[in-house]
């Protein structure tokens, strides 16, 4: 059976002192199976392996090869505002009018999307919005503490960049419209400084004069490259005993002994407990278990330019245009935007090109050549809060998905919460706002 166990790059597992036969090699059920080798699944595996549990991650493409590989690399611990807020909803008509603007909905997808949109709209109601904000703020405190701990334990702290973020405004009106959001962040102890003139130019030289003001958030962090970080966290999890199997899971079912996973090749695996961390595809698996969860995808686009394309000092945020520019160890990443177009539609890279053209206007010296285009699927719930909790239909299944724009940021906290749920411990935060039954 050992031959079945492949490393994430598809190669055979080396015979090393770390290698020990898995429960499957001994003809037993896996202790814990995780579906999804994105950043959420990897962090869950790391925390469970640290706790001494036998854990196997199943993924169809490898470790951190899809949405978790190409994101904007932010540990956005201060990004606590749910997406459905008044400022955002006010901008919708303007954004939707531009087919390559910050937000687009392919008309053919609208009927399928409508129920999600209605829930999104309702999530902006003051009481619901406040509840999501408080849940996110609590989660973010845990997120920061858990990432700092995990980076230390895994020896990956060198991949952390602590140079803050800088957000821009093109008019007094745009700046004033941002103030309630900053006041909300202040309530949760998030530090920031509004800047203009020389202070703005010092924080990012070479910026177009169309931006008259900015906000500097010193506590905002980024990572050297999200894919490299994911692979490094996986190496740590693997050293702690976690295993990987490259496979697409076609079916999941549960009974009193745990879960049965049916792979695309027709074989099956048994596990005592199952964690579903399959990103934007998680609701398809949850549905097989009897749970209907309104997960959609906010598709996002970017282009990664060579590192010397421009001297970007920290992550730059162009909120009014829905994109960011991140200096990575591996290049300069320009992108963002939201396309509510589902999981089947092919990418429309006109969107990444449109963002790149804007970046050239905003940083006039930027060299746009030699870029690599990418699209990813943010797994998004209408209230911007992930699902973290036991499956209503089966106590041997835990859900961990729907982190939207913040999966990298909240992955270590989610890993800890999953460990607590699986081990039957008291979770570090109240999980009621994250419940799969809240819809
Ligand atoms: C443009 C863009 C920028 C972003 N920037 C940031 C940022 O700066 N900071 C931040 O915190 N977040 C950011 N995000 C969001 C973040 O990337 C996601 O929230 C996060 O990657 C989701 O991780 P995940 O593990 O849930 O899902 P994924 O990374 O999608 O992983 C899920 C895995 O499950 C596997 N899978 C699915 N179904 C099956 C199946 N049936 N069988 C086997 N395998 C299966 C898939 O192959 C995939 O590898 C951004 C996203 C985008 C698109």
């Amino acid at each position: 059976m050992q031959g079945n166990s492949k490393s994430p790059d598809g190669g055979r597992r080396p015979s090393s002192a770390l290698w020990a036969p898995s429960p499957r090699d001994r003809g037993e059920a896996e202790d814990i199976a995780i579906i999804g080798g994105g950043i959420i699944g990897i962090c869950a595996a790391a925390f469970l392996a640290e706790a001494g549990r036998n854990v196997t991650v199943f993924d169809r493409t490898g470790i951190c090869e899809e949405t978790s590989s190409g994101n904007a690399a932010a540990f956005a611990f201060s990004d606590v505002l749910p997406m459905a807020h008044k400022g955002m909803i006010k901008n919708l008509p303007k954004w939707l009018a531009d087919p390559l603007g910050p937000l687009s909905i392919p008309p053919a997808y609208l009927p399928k999307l409508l129920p999600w949109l209605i829930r999104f709209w309702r999530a902006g109601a003051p009481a619901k919005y406040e509840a999501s904000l408080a849940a996110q703020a609590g989660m973010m405190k845990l997120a920061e503490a858990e990432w700092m701990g995990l980076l230390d334990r895994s020896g990956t702290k060198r991949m952390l960049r602590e140079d803050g973020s800088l957000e821009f405004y093109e008019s007094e009106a745009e700046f004033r419209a941002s103030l309630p959001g900053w006041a909300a962040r202040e309530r949760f102890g998030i530090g920031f400084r509004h800047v203009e003139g020389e202070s703005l130019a010092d924080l990012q030289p070479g910026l177009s004069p169309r931006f008259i003001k900015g906000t500097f958030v010193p506590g905002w962090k980024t990572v050297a490259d999200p894919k490299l970080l994911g692979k490094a966290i996986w190496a740590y999890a693997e050293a702690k005993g976690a295993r990987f199997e490259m496979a697409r899971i076609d079916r999941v079912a549960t009974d009193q002994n745990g879960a049965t996973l049916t792979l695309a090749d027709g074989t099956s695996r048994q596990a005592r407990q199952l964690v579903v961390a399959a990103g934007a595809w998680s609701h398809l698996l949850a549905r097989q278990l009897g749970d209907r969860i309104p997960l959609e995808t906010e598709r996002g686009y970017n282009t990664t330019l060579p590192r010397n394309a421009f001297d970007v000092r920290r992550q730059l945020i162009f909120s009014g245009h829905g994109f960011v520019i991140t200096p990575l160890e591996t290049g300069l990443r320009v992108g963002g935007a939201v396309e509510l177009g589902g999981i089947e539609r092919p990418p429309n890279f006109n969107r990444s090109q449109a963002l790149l053209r804007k970046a050239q206007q905003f940083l006039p010296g930027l060299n746009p050549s030699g870029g690599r285009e990418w699209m990813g699927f943010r797994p998004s719930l209408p209230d911007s809060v992930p699902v973290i909790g036991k499956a209503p239909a089966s106590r041997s299944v835990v859900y961990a998905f729907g982190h939207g724009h913040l999966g990298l940021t909240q992955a270590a906290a989610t890993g800890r919460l999953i460990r607590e749920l699986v081990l039957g411990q008291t979770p570090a935060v109240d999980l009621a706002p994250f419940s799969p039954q809240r819809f």
Side-chain angles (χ1 to χ4, degrees), residues 36 38-40 59-61 66-68 71-74 247-249 277-279 281 300 376 378-379 404-409:
I39 194 67
I40 301 294
D59 195 293
R60 61 192 174 200
T61 45
E66 298 194 18
T67 299
S68 296
N71 62 48
R248 192 183 78 216
I249 307 302
W281 292 265
R378 299 182 190 93
H405 293 240
L406 297 167
L408 173 64
T409 307

PDB file of all heavy atoms in Angstrom, residues 36 38-40 59-61 66-68 71-74 247-249 277-279 281 300 376 378-379 404-409, ligand 1:
ATOM      1  N   GLY A  36      -8.868  18.788   0.738  1.00  0.00           N
ATOM      2  CA  GLY A  36      -8.420  20.132   0.380  1.00  0.00           C
ATOM      3  C   GLY A  36      -7.028  20.419   0.913  1.00  0.00           C
ATOM      4  O   GLY A  36      -6.804  20.432   2.121  1.00  0.00           O
ATOM      5  N   GLY A  38      -5.448  23.293   0.211  1.00  0.00           N
ATOM      6  CA  GLY A  38      -5.202  24.737   0.203  1.00  0.00           C
ATOM      7  C   GLY A  38      -4.704  25.159   1.582  1.00  0.00           C
ATOM      8  O   GLY A  38      -4.492  24.316   2.461  1.00  0.00           O
ATOM      9  N   ILE A  39      -4.576  26.453   1.767  1.00  0.00           N
ATOM     10  CA  ILE A  39      -3.950  26.932   3.004  1.00  0.00           C
ATOM     11  C   ILE A  39      -4.773  26.543   4.237  1.00  0.00           C
ATOM     12  O   ILE A  39      -4.216  26.271   5.309  1.00  0.00           O
ATOM     13  CB  ILE A  39      -3.676  28.461   2.938  1.00  0.00           C
ATOM     14  CG1 ILE A  39      -2.728  28.906   4.041  1.00  0.00           C
ATOM     15  CG2 ILE A  39      -4.978  29.262   2.960  1.00  0.00           C
ATOM     16  CD1 ILE A  39      -1.329  28.397   3.932  1.00  0.00           C
ATOM     17  N   ILE A  40      -6.101  26.431   4.085  1.00  0.00           N
ATOM     18  CA  ILE A  40      -6.933  26.055   5.240  1.00  0.00           C
ATOM     19  C   ILE A  40      -6.679  24.581   5.605  1.00  0.00           C
ATOM     20  O   ILE A  40      -6.431  24.257   6.775  1.00  0.00           O
ATOM     21  CB  ILE A  40      -8.435  26.286   4.935  1.00  0.00           C
ATOM     22  CG1 ILE A  40      -8.695  27.760   4.588  1.00  0.00           C
ATOM     23  CG2 ILE A  40      -9.310  25.817   6.093  1.00  0.00           C
ATOM     24  CD1 ILE A  40      -8.475  28.754   5.698  1.00  0.00           C
ATOM     25  N   ASP A  59      -6.001  15.957  -2.060  1.00  0.00           N
ATOM     26  CA  ASP A  59      -6.239  17.083  -2.967  1.00  0.00           C
ATOM     27  C   ASP A  59      -6.011  16.612  -4.399  1.00  0.00           C
ATOM     28  O   ASP A  59      -5.094  15.844  -4.674  1.00  0.00           O
ATOM     29  CB  ASP A  59      -5.311  18.254  -2.643  1.00  0.00           C
ATOM     30  CG  ASP A  59      -5.790  19.545  -3.312  1.00  0.00           C
ATOM     31  OD1 ASP A  59      -5.748  19.629  -4.563  1.00  0.00           O
ATOM     32  OD2 ASP A  59      -6.203  20.470  -2.579  1.00  0.00           O
ATOM     33  N   ARG A  60      -6.817  17.160  -5.317  1.00  0.00           N
ATOM     34  CA  ARG A  60      -6.736  16.721  -6.722  1.00  0.00           C
ATOM     35  C   ARG A  60      -5.521  17.305  -7.438  1.00  0.00           C
ATOM     36  O   ARG A  60      -5.077  16.785  -8.451  1.00  0.00           O
ATOM     37  CB  ARG A  60      -8.018  17.120  -7.455  1.00  0.00           C
ATOM     38  CG  ARG A  60      -8.218  18.623  -7.462  1.00  0.00           C
ATOM     39  CD  ARG A  60      -9.580  19.058  -7.913  1.00  0.00           C
ATOM     40  NE  ARG A  60      -9.671  20.502  -7.732  1.00  0.00           N
ATOM     41  CZ  ARG A  60     -10.796  21.168  -7.663  1.00  0.00           C
ATOM     42  NH1 ARG A  60     -11.944  20.532  -7.716  1.00  0.00           N
ATOM     43  NH2 ARG A  60     -10.795  22.470  -7.514  1.00  0.00           N
ATOM     44  N   THR A  61      -4.974  18.436  -6.942  1.00  0.00           N
ATOM     45  CA  THR A  61      -3.873  19.075  -7.693  1.00  0.00           C
ATOM     46  C   THR A  61      -2.554  19.157  -6.928  1.00  0.00           C
ATOM     47  O   THR A  61      -1.518  19.398  -7.550  1.00  0.00           O
ATOM     48  CB  THR A  61      -4.236  20.509  -8.138  1.00  0.00           C
ATOM     49  OG1 THR A  61      -4.844  21.180  -7.065  1.00  0.00           O
ATOM     50  CG2 THR A  61      -5.147  20.510  -9.331  1.00  0.00           C
ATOM     51  N   GLU A  66      -3.822  25.873  -5.970  1.00  0.00           N
ATOM     52  CA  GLU A  66      -4.938  26.573  -6.619  1.00  0.00           C
ATOM     53  C   GLU A  66      -5.101  27.969  -6.005  1.00  0.00           C
ATOM     54  O   GLU A  66      -4.145  28.734  -5.992  1.00  0.00           O
ATOM     55  CB  GLU A  66      -6.199  25.710  -6.532  1.00  0.00           C
ATOM     56  CG  GLU A  66      -5.992  24.377  -7.276  1.00  0.00           C
ATOM     57  CD  GLU A  66      -7.266  23.602  -7.531  1.00  0.00           C
ATOM     58  OE1 GLU A  66      -8.367  24.179  -7.451  1.00  0.00           O
ATOM     59  OE2 GLU A  66      -7.171  22.391  -7.830  1.00  0.00           O
ATOM     60  N   THR A  67      -6.265  28.278  -5.466  1.00  0.00           N
ATOM     61  CA  THR A  67      -6.508  29.656  -4.996  1.00  0.00           C
ATOM     62  C   THR A  67      -5.491  30.105  -3.946  1.00  0.00           C
ATOM     63  O   THR A  67      -5.084  31.270  -3.924  1.00  0.00           O
ATOM     64  CB  THR A  67      -7.952  29.757  -4.454  1.00  0.00           C
ATOM     65  OG1 THR A  67      -8.825  29.442  -5.545  1.00  0.00           O
ATOM     66  CG2 THR A  67      -8.269  31.140  -3.943  1.00  0.00           C
ATOM     67  N   SER A  68      -5.061  29.185  -3.107  1.00  0.00           N
ATOM     68  CA  SER A  68      -4.112  29.569  -2.052  1.00  0.00           C
ATOM     69  C   SER A  68      -2.716  29.852  -2.596  1.00  0.00           C
ATOM     70  O   SER A  68      -1.848  30.297  -1.851  1.00  0.00           O
ATOM     71  CB  SER A  68      -4.041  28.459  -0.999  1.00  0.00           C
ATOM     72  OG  SER A  68      -5.291  28.324  -0.366  1.00  0.00           O
ATOM     73  N   ASN A  71      -2.746  34.264  -4.346  1.00  0.00           N
ATOM     74  CA  ASN A  71      -3.465  35.425  -3.789  1.00  0.00           C
ATOM     75  C   ASN A  71      -2.520  36.591  -3.502  1.00  0.00           C
ATOM     76  O   ASN A  71      -1.325  36.521  -3.796  1.00  0.00           O
ATOM     77  CB  ASN A  71      -4.285  35.002  -2.558  1.00  0.00           C
ATOM     78  CG  ASN A  71      -3.417  34.465  -1.446  1.00  0.00           C
ATOM     79  OD1 ASN A  71      -2.420  35.071  -1.093  1.00  0.00           O
ATOM     80  ND2 ASN A  71      -3.781  33.314  -0.911  1.00  0.00           N
ATOM     81  N   ALA A  72      -3.082  37.640  -2.908  1.00  0.00           N
ATOM     82  CA  ALA A  72      -2.324  38.897  -2.745  1.00  0.00           C
ATOM     83  C   ALA A  72      -1.398  38.900  -1.531  1.00  0.00           C
ATOM     84  O   ALA A  72      -0.810  39.938  -1.194  1.00  0.00           O
ATOM     85  CB  ALA A  72      -3.280  40.070  -2.687  1.00  0.00           C
ATOM     86  N   ALA A  73      -1.278  37.764  -0.836  1.00  0.00           N
ATOM     87  CA  ALA A  73      -0.230  37.562   0.171  1.00  0.00           C
ATOM     88  C   ALA A  73      -0.393  38.382   1.440  1.00  0.00           C
ATOM     89  O   ALA A  73       0.541  38.502   2.229  1.00  0.00           O
ATOM     90  CB  ALA A  73       1.155  37.848  -0.437  1.00  0.00           C
ATOM     91  N   ALA A  74      -1.598  38.917   1.687  1.00  0.00           N
ATOM     92  CA  ALA A  74      -1.743  39.773   2.874  1.00  0.00           C
ATOM     93  C   ALA A  74      -2.197  38.979   4.096  1.00  0.00           C
ATOM     94  O   ALA A  74      -3.132  38.177   4.009  1.00  0.00           O
ATOM     95  CB  ALA A  74      -2.750  40.878   2.597  1.00  0.00           C
ATOM     96  N   ALA A 247      -5.569  13.010  -5.024  1.00  0.00           N
ATOM     97  CA  ALA A 247      -6.778  12.323  -5.498  1.00  0.00           C
ATOM     98  C   ALA A 247      -7.944  13.289  -5.491  1.00  0.00           C
ATOM     99  O   ALA A 247      -8.030  14.158  -4.623  1.00  0.00           O
ATOM    100  CB  ALA A 247      -7.104  11.146  -4.572  1.00  0.00           C
ATOM    101  N   ARG A 248      -8.816  13.120  -6.470  1.00  0.00           N
ATOM    102  CA  ARG A 248     -10.073  13.869  -6.440  1.00  0.00           C
ATOM    103  C   ARG A 248     -11.095  13.020  -5.689  1.00  0.00           C
ATOM    104  O   ARG A 248     -11.225  11.822  -5.962  1.00  0.00           O
ATOM    105  CB  ARG A 248     -10.545  14.127  -7.871  1.00  0.00           C
ATOM    106  CG  ARG A 248     -11.683  15.150  -7.930  1.00  0.00           C
ATOM    107  CD  ARG A 248     -12.177  15.342  -9.340  1.00  0.00           C
ATOM    108  NE  ARG A 248     -13.036  14.238  -9.736  1.00  0.00           N
ATOM    109  CZ  ARG A 248     -13.085  13.709 -10.966  1.00  0.00           C
ATOM    110  NH1 ARG A 248     -12.294  14.185 -11.917  1.00  0.00           N
ATOM    111  NH2 ARG A 248     -13.894  12.703 -11.243  1.00  0.00           N
ATOM    112  N   ILE A 249     -11.773  13.647  -4.761  1.00  0.00           N
ATOM    113  CA  ILE A 249     -12.795  12.909  -4.014  1.00  0.00           C
ATOM    114  C   ILE A 249     -14.135  13.155  -4.694  1.00  0.00           C
ATOM    115  O   ILE A 249     -14.595  14.291  -4.791  1.00  0.00           O
ATOM    116  CB  ILE A 249     -12.868  13.398  -2.539  1.00  0.00           C
ATOM    117  CG1 ILE A 249     -11.483  13.353  -1.885  1.00  0.00           C
ATOM    118  CG2 ILE A 249     -13.896  12.580  -1.757  1.00  0.00           C
ATOM    119  CD1 ILE A 249     -10.804  12.014  -1.861  1.00  0.00           C
ATOM    120  N   ALA A 277     -12.311  20.966   3.693  1.00  0.00           N
ATOM    121  CA  ALA A 277     -11.641  22.265   3.517  1.00  0.00           C
ATOM    122  C   ALA A 277     -11.342  22.415   2.033  1.00  0.00           C
ATOM    123  O   ALA A 277     -10.207  22.695   1.635  1.00  0.00           O
ATOM    124  CB  ALA A 277     -10.363  22.320   4.354  1.00  0.00           C
ATOM    125  N   ALA A 278     -12.369  22.249   1.221  1.00  0.00           N
ATOM    126  CA  ALA A 278     -12.190  22.166  -0.227  1.00  0.00           C
ATOM    127  C   ALA A 278     -12.476  23.493  -0.919  1.00  0.00           C
ATOM    128  O   ALA A 278     -12.893  23.529  -2.083  1.00  0.00           O
ATOM    129  CB  ALA A 278     -13.074  21.052  -0.789  1.00  0.00           C
ATOM    130  N   GLY A 279     -12.267  24.598  -0.198  1.00  0.00           N
ATOM    131  CA  GLY A 279     -12.405  25.924  -0.786  1.00  0.00           C
ATOM    132  C   GLY A 279     -13.763  26.095  -1.445  1.00  0.00           C
ATOM    133  O   GLY A 279     -14.808  25.724  -0.882  1.00  0.00           O
ATOM    134  N   TRP A 281     -15.295  24.612  -3.579  1.00  0.00           N
ATOM    135  CA  TRP A 281     -16.020  23.380  -3.973  1.00  0.00           C
ATOM    136  C   TRP A 281     -16.634  22.679  -2.754  1.00  0.00           C
ATOM    137  O   TRP A 281     -17.251  21.631  -2.878  1.00  0.00           O
ATOM    138  CB  TRP A 281     -15.060  22.420  -4.712  1.00  0.00           C
ATOM    139  CG  TRP A 281     -14.654  22.991  -6.027  1.00  0.00           C
ATOM    140  CD1 TRP A 281     -15.227  22.737  -7.244  1.00  0.00           C
ATOM    141  CD2 TRP A 281     -13.621  23.958  -6.267  1.00  0.00           C
ATOM    142  NE1 TRP A 281     -14.612  23.492  -8.212  1.00  0.00           N
ATOM    143  CE2 TRP A 281     -13.629  24.242  -7.642  1.00  0.00           C
ATOM    144  CE3 TRP A 281     -12.702  24.622  -5.460  1.00  0.00           C
ATOM    145  CZ2 TRP A 281     -12.749  25.160  -8.220  1.00  0.00           C
ATOM    146  CZ3 TRP A 281     -11.820  25.535  -6.027  1.00  0.00           C
ATOM    147  CH2 TRP A 281     -11.851  25.791  -7.401  1.00  0.00           C
ATOM    148  N   GLY A 300     -11.153  36.089  -8.551  1.00  0.00           N
ATOM    149  CA  GLY A 300     -10.256  37.241  -8.549  1.00  0.00           C
ATOM    150  C   GLY A 300      -9.108  37.020  -9.522  1.00  0.00           C
ATOM    151  O   GLY A 300      -8.743  35.870  -9.829  1.00  0.00           O
ATOM    152  N   GLY A 376      -8.136  33.077  -9.393  1.00  0.00           N
ATOM    153  CA  GLY A 376      -8.429  32.180  -8.268  1.00  0.00           C
ATOM    154  C   GLY A 376      -9.875  32.323  -7.825  1.00  0.00           C
ATOM    155  O   GLY A 376     -10.556  33.296  -8.176  1.00  0.00           O
ATOM    156  N   ARG A 378     -12.202  32.728  -4.768  1.00  0.00           N
ATOM    157  CA  ARG A 378     -12.424  32.965  -3.330  1.00  0.00           C
ATOM    158  C   ARG A 378     -13.696  32.226  -2.931  1.00  0.00           C
ATOM    159  O   ARG A 378     -14.748  32.410  -3.560  1.00  0.00           O
ATOM    160  CB  ARG A 378     -12.625  34.456  -3.036  1.00  0.00           C
ATOM    161  CG  ARG A 378     -11.453  35.353  -3.410  1.00  0.00           C
ATOM    162  CD  ARG A 378     -11.776  36.796  -3.015  1.00  0.00           C
ATOM    163  NE  ARG A 378     -10.838  37.755  -3.536  1.00  0.00           N
ATOM    164  CZ  ARG A 378     -10.987  38.408  -4.690  1.00  0.00           C
ATOM    165  NH1 ARG A 378     -12.034  38.181  -5.473  1.00  0.00           N
ATOM    166  NH2 ARG A 378     -10.086  39.300  -5.065  1.00  0.00           N
ATOM    167  N   PRO A 379     -13.629  31.423  -1.860  1.00  0.00           N
ATOM    168  CA  PRO A 379     -14.847  30.723  -1.416  1.00  0.00           C
ATOM    169  C   PRO A 379     -15.617  31.644  -0.476  1.00  0.00           C
ATOM    170  O   PRO A 379     -15.151  31.942   0.622  1.00  0.00           O
ATOM    171  CB  PRO A 379     -14.290  29.513  -0.656  1.00  0.00           C
ATOM    172  CG  PRO A 379     -12.880  29.878  -0.284  1.00  0.00           C
ATOM    173  CD  PRO A 379     -12.442  31.080  -1.070  1.00  0.00           C
ATOM    174  N   GLY A 404     -13.490  33.512   1.953  1.00  0.00           N
ATOM    175  CA  GLY A 404     -13.582  34.658   1.058  1.00  0.00           C
ATOM    176  C   GLY A 404     -12.241  35.314   0.772  1.00  0.00           C
ATOM    177  O   GLY A 404     -11.293  34.673   0.308  1.00  0.00           O
ATOM    178  N   HIS A 405     -12.180  36.609   1.086  1.00  0.00           N
ATOM    179  CA  HIS A 405     -10.980  37.411   0.797  1.00  0.00           C
ATOM    180  C   HIS A 405      -9.877  37.178   1.830  1.00  0.00           C
ATOM    181  O   HIS A 405      -8.814  37.784   1.730  1.00  0.00           O
ATOM    182  CB  HIS A 405     -11.348  38.897   0.807  1.00  0.00           C
ATOM    183  CG  HIS A 405     -12.265  39.308  -0.305  1.00  0.00           C
ATOM    184  ND1 HIS A 405     -11.920  40.242  -1.239  1.00  0.00           N
ATOM    185  CD2 HIS A 405     -13.509  38.882  -0.641  1.00  0.00           C
ATOM    186  CE1 HIS A 405     -12.921  40.406  -2.106  1.00  0.00           C
ATOM    187  NE2 HIS A 405     -13.891  39.590  -1.751  1.00  0.00           N
ATOM    188  N   LEU A 406     -10.148  36.347   2.843  1.00  0.00           N
ATOM    189  CA  LEU A 406      -9.271  36.338   4.011  1.00  0.00           C
ATOM    190  C   LEU A 406      -8.763  34.956   4.399  1.00  0.00           C
ATOM    191  O   LEU A 406      -8.394  34.728   5.549  1.00  0.00           O
ATOM    192  CB  LEU A 406     -10.030  36.962   5.202  1.00  0.00           C
ATOM    193  CG  LEU A 406     -10.398  38.432   4.980  1.00  0.00           C
ATOM    194  CD1 LEU A 406     -11.411  38.897   6.011  1.00  0.00           C
ATOM    195  CD2 LEU A 406      -9.142  39.294   5.033  1.00  0.00           C
ATOM    196  N   GLY A 407      -8.732  34.040   3.442  1.00  0.00           N
ATOM    197  CA  GLY A 407      -8.343  32.666   3.786  1.00  0.00           C
ATOM    198  C   GLY A 407      -6.911  32.546   4.254  1.00  0.00           C
ATOM    199  O   GLY A 407      -6.619  31.797   5.193  1.00  0.00           O
ATOM    200  N   LEU A 408      -6.012  33.258   3.599  1.00  0.00           N
ATOM    201  CA  LEU A 408      -4.619  33.207   4.058  1.00  0.00           C
ATOM    202  C   LEU A 408      -4.536  33.782   5.467  1.00  0.00           C
ATOM    203  O   LEU A 408      -3.943  33.174   6.367  1.00  0.00           O
ATOM    204  CB  LEU A 408      -3.721  33.995   3.085  1.00  0.00           C
ATOM    205  CG  LEU A 408      -2.273  34.163   3.520  1.00  0.00           C
ATOM    206  CD1 LEU A 408      -1.565  32.810   3.596  1.00  0.00           C
ATOM    207  CD2 LEU A 408      -1.518  35.094   2.572  1.00  0.00           C
ATOM    208  N   THR A 409      -5.165  34.923   5.663  1.00  0.00           N
ATOM    209  CA  THR A 409      -5.106  35.615   6.958  1.00  0.00           C
ATOM    210  C   THR A 409      -5.622  34.729   8.090  1.00  0.00           C
ATOM    211  O   THR A 409      -5.037  34.694   9.177  1.00  0.00           O
ATOM    212  CB  THR A 409      -5.968  36.897   6.876  1.00  0.00           C
ATOM    213  OG1 THR A 409      -5.551  37.650   5.743  1.00  0.00           O
ATOM    214  CG2 THR A 409      -5.846  37.728   8.131  1.00  0.00           C
TER     215      THR A 409
HETATM  216  C1  LIG B   1      -7.117  37.557  -6.294  1.00  0.00           C
HETATM  217  C2  LIG B   1      -7.187  37.040  -4.883  1.00  0.00           C
HETATM  218  C3  LIG B   1      -6.470  37.691  -3.877  1.00  0.00           C
HETATM  219  C4  LIG B   1      -6.534  37.254  -2.559  1.00  0.00           C
HETATM  220  N1  LIG B   1      -5.762  37.856  -1.614  1.00  0.00           N
HETATM  221  C5  LIG B   1      -5.787  37.424  -0.330  1.00  0.00           C
HETATM  222  C6  LIG B   1      -4.958  38.017   0.643  1.00  0.00           C
HETATM  223  O1  LIG B   1      -4.155  38.901   0.349  1.00  0.00           O
HETATM  224  N2  LIG B   1      -5.063  37.585   1.919  1.00  0.00           N
HETATM  225  C7  LIG B   1      -5.934  36.600   2.283  1.00  0.00           C
HETATM  226  O2  LIG B   1      -6.016  36.288   3.464  1.00  0.00           O
HETATM  227  N3  LIG B   1      -6.689  35.965   1.360  1.00  0.00           N
HETATM  228  C8  LIG B   1      -6.647  36.359   0.067  1.00  0.00           C
HETATM  229  N4  LIG B   1      -7.413  35.751  -0.884  1.00  0.00           N
HETATM  230  C9  LIG B   1      -8.327  34.684  -0.466  1.00  0.00           C
HETATM  231  C10 LIG B   1      -7.599  33.373  -0.261  1.00  0.00           C
HETATM  232  O3  LIG B   1      -6.759  33.101  -1.361  1.00  0.00           O
HETATM  233  C11 LIG B   1      -8.615  32.251  -0.086  1.00  0.00           C
HETATM  234  O4  LIG B   1      -9.559  32.597   0.911  1.00  0.00           O
HETATM  235  C12 LIG B   1      -7.920  30.964   0.329  1.00  0.00           C
HETATM  236  O5  LIG B   1      -6.891  30.654  -0.568  1.00  0.00           O
HETATM  237  C13 LIG B   1      -8.901  29.818   0.411  1.00  0.00           C
HETATM  238  O6  LIG B   1      -8.175  28.701   0.847  1.00  0.00           O
HETATM  239  P1  LIG B   1      -8.844  27.281   0.921  1.00  0.00           P
HETATM  240  O7  LIG B   1      -7.830  26.344   1.457  1.00  0.00           O
HETATM  241  O8  LIG B   1     -10.162  27.393   1.595  1.00  0.00           O
HETATM  242  O9  LIG B   1      -9.205  26.938  -0.602  1.00  0.00           O
HETATM  243  P2  LIG B   1      -8.272  26.544  -1.838  1.00  0.00           P
HETATM  244  O10 LIG B   1      -6.990  27.220  -1.812  1.00  0.00           O
HETATM  245  O11 LIG B   1      -9.144  26.704  -3.047  1.00  0.00           O
HETATM  246  O12 LIG B   1      -8.000  25.021  -1.576  1.00  0.00           O
HETATM  247  C14 LIG B   1      -9.025  24.066  -1.724  1.00  0.00           C
HETATM  248  C15 LIG B   1      -8.414  22.831  -2.321  1.00  0.00           C
HETATM  249  O13 LIG B   1      -9.421  21.812  -2.336  1.00  0.00           O
HETATM  250  C16 LIG B   1      -9.200  21.023  -3.468  1.00  0.00           C
HETATM  251  N5  LIG B   1     -10.439  20.325  -3.795  1.00  0.00           N
HETATM  252  C17 LIG B   1     -11.667  20.861  -3.988  1.00  0.00           C
HETATM  253  N6  LIG B   1     -12.557  19.880  -4.214  1.00  0.00           N
HETATM  254  C18 LIG B   1     -11.877  18.708  -4.171  1.00  0.00           C
HETATM  255  C19 LIG B   1     -12.255  17.356  -4.320  1.00  0.00           C
HETATM  256  N7  LIG B   1     -13.521  16.988  -4.565  1.00  0.00           N
HETATM  257  N8  LIG B   1     -11.292  16.420  -4.202  1.00  0.00           N
HETATM  258  C20 LIG B   1      -9.992  16.764  -3.959  1.00  0.00           C
HETATM  259  N9  LIG B   1      -9.591  18.036  -3.813  1.00  0.00           N
HETATM  260  C21 LIG B   1     -10.527  18.990  -3.889  1.00  0.00           C
HETATM  261  C22 LIG B   1      -8.771  21.996  -4.552  1.00  0.00           C
HETATM  262  O14 LIG B   1      -8.014  21.308  -5.489  1.00  0.00           O
HETATM  263  C23 LIG B   1      -7.958  23.010  -3.752  1.00  0.00           C
HETATM  264  O15 LIG B   1      -6.578  22.730  -3.831  1.00  0.00           O
HETATM  265  C24 LIG B   1      -7.361  36.147  -2.227  1.00  0.00           C
HETATM  266  C25 LIG B   1      -8.036  35.470  -3.227  1.00  0.00           C
HETATM  267  C26 LIG B   1      -7.957  35.899  -4.549  1.00  0.00           C
HETATM  268  C27 LIG B   1      -8.683  35.135  -5.612  1.00  0.00           C
END
